[in-house]
Amino acid sequence: MFGLAGKVAIVTGGNGGIGLGMARGLAGAGARVVVAARDANKSEAAVRELGAGALAIAVDVTDERSVDALFRDAVARCGRLDILVNNAGINIRKPPHELSLAEWRQVIDTNLTSAYLCSHAAHPAMKRAGGGKIINIGSMMSIFGAPYAPAYAASKGGIVQFTKACAAAWAPDQIQVNAILPGWIDTDLTRRARVQVAGLHDSVLRRTPAGRWGTIDDFRGIAVFLAGRASDFITGAAITVDGGYSVQG
Ligand code: NDP
């Protein structure tokens, strides 16, 4: 049910934060993980930690040619592709009236168009392998809005709908496509948010029934579940991993 021996996984943004947490889960269950991100030093450090044949391939997920090269290279070096985690993401925290078109595009390209580019590139190899698993990373802003996150919220809402479309399209190919919606997790991204958004740290603690911020290791289990046989009849779902943040107002 939960073993991933012999499987190959690409994790975008797998060199830190939630992506690294998910990569730890996948590698721990026996998968060979391709860490796909821009910062080569961070990626090499992640690969050393993951072991189990992990490798790093540099990619800019906003660039179609770079994404296509990632998938060609990964399949050439690992022989197959079974699992894709579309995790790379950024935020530019400004209200809509201050956000430029270039900033809007940067966030949408990194968080949403990247999931299209990577899933599109992954589909042929997964079909050849007889099936596959795609895991997209949404957010609490797939559900809620925030005054400082117009492009981010749009991208994360879009991720949920994109997940459903791919799930419906690729079910006949035995490819399950699901989304994870993390609550507030302690990473570089939210360390910056806590500096930029006054009172954020305490308001998250107050609202989260679990009474804590999430850690990247909270994502190991869900990664293994959504990447393995245990979830073969689950597709198009958006699963919160949020300590209960979204269940109370
Ligand atoms: P981090 O900033 O720690 O990690 C972001 C990752 O994305 C890095 O590994 C970075 O690697 C990679 N990345 C960014 N831009 C690109 C790019 N153009 N090409 C390739 N890789 C890129 O953030 P988190 O771990 O917090 O975020 C991971 C995901 O989880 C994001 O999608 C985020 O929106 C989502 N999320 C996070 C939450 C949280 O509370 N932390 C809550 C909800 C969702 P590099 O710089 O080396 O390219």
Side-chain angles (χ1 to χ4, degrees), residues 1-2 133 224-225 228-234:
M1 277 288 151
F2 300 103
K133 302 281 187 176
V224 173
F225 174 63
R229 274 181 45 223
S231 60
D232 276 357
F233 200 53
I234 299 175

Side-chain angles (χ1 to χ4, degrees), residues 2 7 11 29 78 100 107 163 168 175 201 240 244 248:
F2 300 103
K7 304 288 187 190
V11 182
C78 303
S100 71
V107 174
T163 298
I175 299 169
H201 180 80
T240 54
Q248 64 177 12

Side-chain angles (χ1 to χ4, degrees), residues 12-19 36-40 42-43 59-62 86-90 110-111 137-140 152 156 181-190 192 213 216:
T12 70
N15 63 6
I18 291 172
R38 295 166 303 180
D39 184 325
K42 263 176 77 181
S43 295
V59 69
D60 177 349
V61 293
T62 65
N86 285 314
N87 161 80
I90 58 166
T110 308
N111 298 4
I137 307 303
S139 161
M140 288 297 99
Y152 187 84
K156 295 299 187 178
L181 314 186
W184 288 92
I185 316 304
D186 183 19
T187 67
D188 288 349
L189 187 81
T190 51
R192 282 190 296 275
W213 279 63
I216 65 171

Side-chain angles (χ1 to χ4, degrees), residues 78-235:
C78 303
R80 56 187 293 131
L81 175 64
D82 307 281
I83 301 154
L84 166 64
V85 182
N86 285 314
N87 161 80
I90 58 166
N91 194 4
I92 297 174
R93 291 180 191 85
K94 291 182 178 177
H97 52 278
E98 286 175 15
L99 194 76
S100 71
L101 179 59
E103 290 168 332
W104 167 272
R105 286 192 170 133
Q106 198 185 337
V107 174
I108 297 288
D109 284 356
T110 308
N111 298 4
L112 181 59
T113 309
S114 64
Y116 154 72
L117 288 176
C118 291
S119 303
H120 186 264
H123 179 253
M126 290 188 174
K127 199 172 169 177
R128 259 197 319 277
K133 302 281 187 176
I134 299 178
I135 304 169
N136 296 321
I137 307 303
S139 161
M140 288 297 99
M141 295 203 201
S142 302
I143 311 172
F144 307 113
Y148 53 82
Y152 187 84
S155 72
K156 295 299 187 178
I159 274 286
V160 170
Q161 298 308 99
F162 178 65
T163 298
K164 293 176 189 172
C166 293
W170 294 339
D173 302 325
Q174 310 307 324
I175 299 169
Q176 287 83 47
V177 188
N178 291 292
I180 296 172
L181 314 186
W184 288 92
I185 316 304
D186 183 19
T187 67
D188 288 349
L189 187 81
T190 51
R191 263 166 236 141
R192 282 190 296 275
R194 275 180 270 185
V195 173
Q196 290 169 0
V197 182
L200 179 66
H201 180 80
D202 289 335
S203 73
V204 167
L205 283 183
R206 268 197 308 278
R207 184 169 166 173
T208 305
R212 66 172 175 87
W213 279 63
T215 72
I216 65 171
D217 286 321
D218 287 318
F219 290 83
R220 294 167 87 137
I222 188 80
V224 173
F225 174 63
L226 289 179
R229 274 181 45 223
S231 60
D232 276 357
F233 200 53
I234 299 175
T235 198

